[in-house]
Amino acid sequence: MADAKVIPFDDDRSRSGAARRRGVLPGGARGPATAGPAPVSALPGGQVPGGAAEATGAAPQDGDAGAGSGWDRRIAGGLAFLRRRLTGDYDVDEFGYDKELTDQVLMSVLRPLADKYFRVEVKGIENIPSDGGALVVANHSGTLPLDGLMLQVAVHDNHPAERHLRLLAADLVFMLPVVNELARKAGHTLACAEDAERLLQGGEVVGVMPEGFKGIGKPFGERYKLQRFGRGGFVSTALRAGVPIVPCSIVGAEEIYPMIGNSKTLARVLGVPYFPITPTFPWLGPLGALPLPTKWTIQFGEPIPTDGYPPEAAEDPMLMFNLTDQVREQIQHTLYKLLVQRRSVFF
């Protein structure tokens, strides 16, 4: 099958012909209007300016042509995308990240959820550097880890340099069928120091949520109270890679599934960290799994530089403790500030 080519619509010549007929000269000046197009013999090589539309004196239908050309581009692009998927003519990195699939399919699926359902408002996106590695550290909540996906959409769609966030996920994510493949394709990788350091040294923006299951599985009564950040492994990774740490606070995710109970027996049977009980789940069955349409705010704080520390700093437990505490306090303070500013959970 021949490669599908996208042919862009270029109406510059048509506009120049229309402007000439109105008597508009280059630079915006006006001259005497002409009754029709210039004679062919008066032009170099006998060429007709503006193409066939101007040669016949017919005004081009810009709206119709532009709409038709837009659909042509979409169809041609879609066919080219399908051909590459079927023939295997696409690239993935060593972690399984498929940039084309993420940009054209996965982000298109998640974007309406972020823009229309949760109405995510993004602040401080400029605190993520335009190039080089950076470690984004965020709070974790919501019973189901939708906050990580919304964080990925927020960076992808709002950063001026169009950066991609590579999330570090728990082992459970890569043990689930289908979810495992989608996570790899979207750029997520196992939450281990080795993978994180390789990504950061490769100039990627990496996201980590140190609360883990303690964060997303906490009861509703403890919402927006940060859980323990582990032993500071993310700080050690950032120090070794010499990249800045960007604290991130997410408000709105805590209320999508208000967790009022936890069936530990069912959790053990299913092999999951917890089995949530909410006002709607499991009472309403699958309908109870629908998240509440809360209003979200994601704010990226001032980056904390790490490149000024010596190489042996990554092995200093006191330094790691202090930096971990600094990041945690900054996230918690921003959470409280955003909660004070919030008018309503849903508006």
Side-chain angles (χ1 to χ4, degrees):
M1 180 185 295
D3 292 350
K5 295 183 179 179
V6 180
I7 304 176
F9 176 71
D10 185 359
D11 60 349
D12 288 345
R13 293 182 299 170
S14 298
R15 285 199 297 268
S16 66
R20 192 181 296 108
R21 287 194 297 277
R22 292 195 302 269
V24 181
L25 300 178
R30 292 185 174 271
T34 57
V40 174
S41 59
L43 299 174
Q47 297 178 355
V48 180
E54 186 172 337
T56 59
Q61 301 297 321
D62 290 342
D64 294 342
S69 179
W71 279 109
D72 289 346
R73 285 198 297 269
R74 291 182 182 182
I75 293 172
L79 291 174
F81 174 78
L82 288 175
R83 180 188 61 80
R84 289 192 296 272
R85 307 315 295 185
L86 292 173
T87 60
D89 185 21
Y90 57 90
D91 296 325
V92 297
D93 69 5
E94 59 179 314
F95 298 96
Y97 173 47
D98 189 333
K99 183 179 183 301
E100 182 184 52
L101 183 69
T102 300
D103 289 346
Q104 298 194 25
V105 178
L106 300 181
M107 288 296 110
S108 299
V109 172
L110 295 173
R111 189 171 292 117
L113 189 62
D115 293 346
K116 305 299 183 183
Y117 197 79
F118 294 132
R119 295 147 291 149
V120 178
E121 179 182 1
V122 180
K123 299 180 179 180
I125 191 67
E126 67 279 358
N127 288 318
I128 298 179
S130 297
D131 52 36
L135 183 65
V136 176
V137 182
N139 60 304
H140 207 11
S141 62
T143 306
L144 291 181
L146 296 181
D147 52 354
L149 299 177
M150 296 302 101
L151 182 60
Q152 186 179 18
V153 175
V155 175
H156 182 276
D157 287 358
N158 292 277
H159 198 282
E162 300 181 354
R163 305 218 63 181
H164 295 262
L165 183 69
R166 309 289 295 270
L167 287 170
L168 302 179
D171 298 5
L172 180 61
V173 172
F174 300 101
M175 295 170 60
L176 300 174
V178 182
V179 175
N180 169 30
E181 289 296 323
L182 289 176
R184 289 287 184 188
K185 295 289 186 183
H188 310 331
T189 189
L190 196 63
C192 65
E194 292 78 11
D195 285 0
E197 189 172 348
R198 281 159 58 197
L199 285 169
L200 291 170
Q201 290 177 345
E204 299 285 352
V205 179
V206 177
V208 62
M209 295 173 163
E211 292 176 281
F213 290 118
K214 301 188 301 295
I216 56 175
K218 64 178 177 286
F220 188 66
E222 298 180 14
R223 60 191 180 278
Y224 298 114
K225 296 178 182 177
L226 291 183
Q227 305 299 299
R228 192 171 62 89
F229 268 21
R231 292 171 293 181
F234 68 92
V235 170
S236 177
T237 301
L239 285 168
R240 282 195 293 268
V243 300
I245 300 173
V246 181
C248 176
S249 302
I250 304 173
V251 164
E254 294 275 15
E255 294 90 0
I256 60 173
Y257 296 111
M259 186 169 164
I260 58 176
N262 175 22
S263 177
K264 296 182 179 180
T265 302
L266 280 175
R268 284 195 298 269
V269 170
L270 297 174
V272 293
Y274 55 88
F275 186 89
I277 298 175
T278 75
T280 59
F281 182 84
W283 326 115
L284 299 182
L287 186 62
L290 187 69
L292 297 177
T294 58
K295 173 72 173 66
W296 288 33
T297 301
I298 298 178
Q299 179 161 337
F300 299 93
E302 290 286 338
I304 300 172
T306 65
D307 54 355
Y309 294 97
E312 61 272 13
E315 308 301 330
D316 185 346
M318 186 57 66
L319 176 61
M320 283 192 293
F321 174 81
N322 290 337
L323 285 176
T324 300
D325 193 55
Q326 180 182 349
V327 174
R328 189 179 181 279
E329 287 299 318
Q330 189 168 335
I331 294 173
Q332 185 70 81
H333 176 74
T334 304
L335 285 175
Y336 287 148
K337 184 173 68 173
L338 292 174
L339 288 171
V340 170
Q341 296 171 353
R342 184 170 68 168
R343 295 186 297 124
S344 165
V345 174
F346 300 100
F347 303 102

